[in-house]
Amino acid sequence: MSESVIIAAGGTGGHISPGVALAEVLMEKKETFHISDVYIHSLLRNQNNPDLQNAPCEVLWHNVPQFRGLSIPIYPILFLIQFIKTILIFQKKKVTAVIGMGGYSSFPAILYAIIFRKKLFLCEQNCIPGKITRYFSKYANKLALSFPIKDSLSTNIDTKILGNPIRKKVVPESLNIRQNENLHDSRKSMVNVLVLGGSQGARQLNNMILKTMESAEISQKFRFRVLTGTSLYDETVKKAKKPGAEIISYSNDMRPNYEWANLVVARSGAGVIAECLVFGLPMILIPYPYAADNHQKENAEYVEKEGAAHAIHSTSEDPTLLVKHLLNWKSNPEELKTMGQNSLRLSNVNAAYQTVSYFFPH
């Protein structure tokens, strides 16, 4: 029997991008996996997301409210309205399987699968499972993990670690660590540092980099490219006291940025980490301290333990530790090369295909 598949991917880019990567594989390999139709179910507020504007399949929009603030007293009514709409749409599309990518926005699709006894698959991107995974894994047929999880789940669900699915347009043409080969020819070479704050941007990260660039030694040895996030671009440009960084608000084509970089300074969201790994890039990870269940801290510590990153746990903009790591790497390029090799070791460029194969064996 052919499957009609819903990919519930809303919220932030960390949920959307891997969902789009799975949709790409499902659309390309319909016959292989016996798929008739593929849909992405996402929040209406994500309509301007570039991945969804150019989605590989039809996007079904919904507007389920988040359970917080003034909507709490009337939340059941607001949710019920959206859920009824979801039921009607899914039945019209003859949905037989749901893939939940996490986040509250995937709840209506997951609930539909549970109530109407459809196949349910979950993807967990982080080392600490989110609420959706913790609450609903016992109802799922299978769970695909991006990284080993810190604490085991209270269920015997079929689980496999496959890596975080990556979009085709980001996947490198070849797996290597050529980004760092130039560092071993001459210690006078400039080191390219790519700075990423994630899909939401990061003011702390932007300001820390600007302060790091004030060091004369850093400015002589490092070249920075900072992706600030759209909302923080103007603010960051105004704060920059001197040239030395290429400041960009957002890039819809990340492959050239990763190919340019010798190393990355970033938050520790699962999506950014996975993309850096497939490019063999060493990382300095500064976890967002207020992430749900502090999952970014655990992500960073896992990659650090595996020798592919250094983690800086700080809520301040003090650049001291960042400067120390950068100068140490410049003086010890072999360490940078080793961390790049560790990045490649942890990567899985075929995570999207393997995840689909896991959910829909053929």
Side-chain angles (χ1 to χ4, degrees):
M1 183 186 78
S2 294
E3 305 280 5
S4 178
V5 182
I6 286 285
I7 300 172
T12 63
H15 299 298
I16 295 171
S17 293
V20 170
L22 294 182
E24 289 174 342
V25 174
L26 286 167
M27 290 296 291
E28 287 183 3
K29 304 291 184 180
K30 277 187 173 182
E31 292 186 8
T32 301
F33 296 107
H34 306 291
I35 305 297
S36 59
D37 299 288
V38 181
Y39 308 96
I40 293 175
H41 195 232
S42 192
L43 286 168
L44 194 62
R45 66 176 171 84
N46 292 325
Q47 282 185 315
N48 292 327
N49 180 284
D51 285 336
L52 295 178
Q53 287 179 331
N54 301 285
C57 62
E58 181 181 354
V59 181
L60 307 176
W61 303 104
H62 69 93
N63 200 26
V64 65
Q66 193 166 2
F67 187 72
R68 68 180 183 185
L70 297 176
S71 67
I72 291 178
I74 59 172
Y75 183 85
I77 297 174
L78 297 176
F79 177 81
L80 185 60
I81 292 171
Q82 292 299 317
F83 185 54
I84 291 173
K85 291 180 179 179
T86 296
I87 292 174
L88 295 175
I89 293 172
F90 283 16
Q91 289 186 340
K92 182 179 179 181
K93 301 295 186 181
K94 298 181 181 179
V95 171
T96 61
V98 171
I99 301 175
M101 304 306 298
Y104 80 93
S105 65
S106 64
F107 180 41
I110 290 173
L111 188 60
Y112 177 88
I114 294 171
I115 292 176
F116 293 94
R117 299 186 177 183
K118 307 301 180 183
K119 294 177 183 177
L120 175 60
F121 307 108
L122 298 179
C123 292
E124 176 55 57
Q125 289 85 36
N126 299 298
C127 291
I128 294 185
K131 291 179 181 178
I132 288 293
T133 299
R134 297 200 304 269
Y135 295 162
F136 297 107
S137 58
K138 61 184 176 182
Y139 301 105
N141 297 82
K142 294 180 180 180
L143 170 63
L145 303 175
S146 295
F147 305 118
I149 56 176
K150 183 180 180 183
D151 300 313
S152 60
L153 298 167
S154 57
T155 177
N156 292 323
I157 182 177
D158 187 356
T159 304
K160 201 167 187 179
I161 301 171
L162 296 168
N164 202 29
I166 298 174
R167 298 158 295 168
K168 282 174 54 180
K169 67 180 182 180
V170 179
V171 172
E173 295 181 1
S174 61
L175 294 179
N176 55 55
I177 55 169
R178 63 181 174 76
Q179 291 90 343
N180 292 319
E181 288 178 356
N182 66 304
L183 301 183
H184 309 286
D185 297 332
S186 170
R187 293 193 178 185
K188 295 181 180 179
S189 302
M190 292 286 283
V191 180
N192 294 338
V193 183
L194 180 63
V195 183
L196 305 171
S199 61
Q200 306 301 302
R203 178 175 284 108
Q204 176 204 7
L205 207 57
N206 296 340
N207 292 341
M208 186 183 292
I209 291 298
L210 294 180
K211 291 179 179 180
T212 298
M213 289 167 50
E214 293 176 6
S215 162
E217 190 173 7
I218 290 290
S219 63
Q220 292 170 5
K221 297 179 178 180
F222 294 87
R223 184 186 297 110
F224 294 87
R225 180 178 294 177
V226 185
L227 275 68
T228 63
T230 305
S231 63
L232 298 175
Y233 173 75
D234 291 336
E235 172 187 311
T236 307
V237 170
K238 290 178 182 177
K239 287 182 178 179
K241 294 182 178 179
K242 57 182 180 180
E246 183 182 355
I247 301 177
I248 304 170
S249 62
Y250 176 82
S251 175
N252 191 33
D253 185 6
M254 284 302 299
R255 184 190 292 169
N257 293 303
Y258 289 128
E259 291 175 341
W260 171 86
N262 297 120
L263 61 95
V264 171
V265 179
R267 290 300 197 197
S268 47
V272 168
I273 290 176
E275 291 177 0
C276 290
L277 293 179
V278 299
F279 281 89
L281 287 168
M283 290 164 271
I284 295 176
L285 298 173
I286 307 173
Y288 178 56
Y290 308 109
D293 303 310
N294 212 9
H295 68 262
Q296 288 206 7
K297 173 179 177 291
E298 296 300 328
N299 292 350
E301 290 182 350
Y302 166 71
V303 182
E304 182 177 44
K305 182 186 69 174
E306 294 292 331
H310 288 307
I312 297 177
H313 301 286
S314 173
T315 58
S316 80
E317 299 169 359
D318 181 0
T320 304
L321 198 52
L322 176 57
V323 169
K324 177 183 176 182
H325 285 312
L326 291 175
L327 293 178
N328 177 65
W329 273 346
K330 192 67 178 71
S331 302
N332 301 280
E334 284 299 325
E335 181 181 346
L336 201 63
K337 182 177 181 180
T338 299
M339 295 183 78
Q341 293 170 337
N342 289 332
S343 281
L344 282 182
R345 176 177 56 81
L346 293 176
S347 70
N348 184 3
V349 73
N350 295 314
Y353 183 86
Q354 291 178 9
T355 300
V356 171
S357 299
Y358 174 54
F359 291 160
F360 305 100
H362 63 286

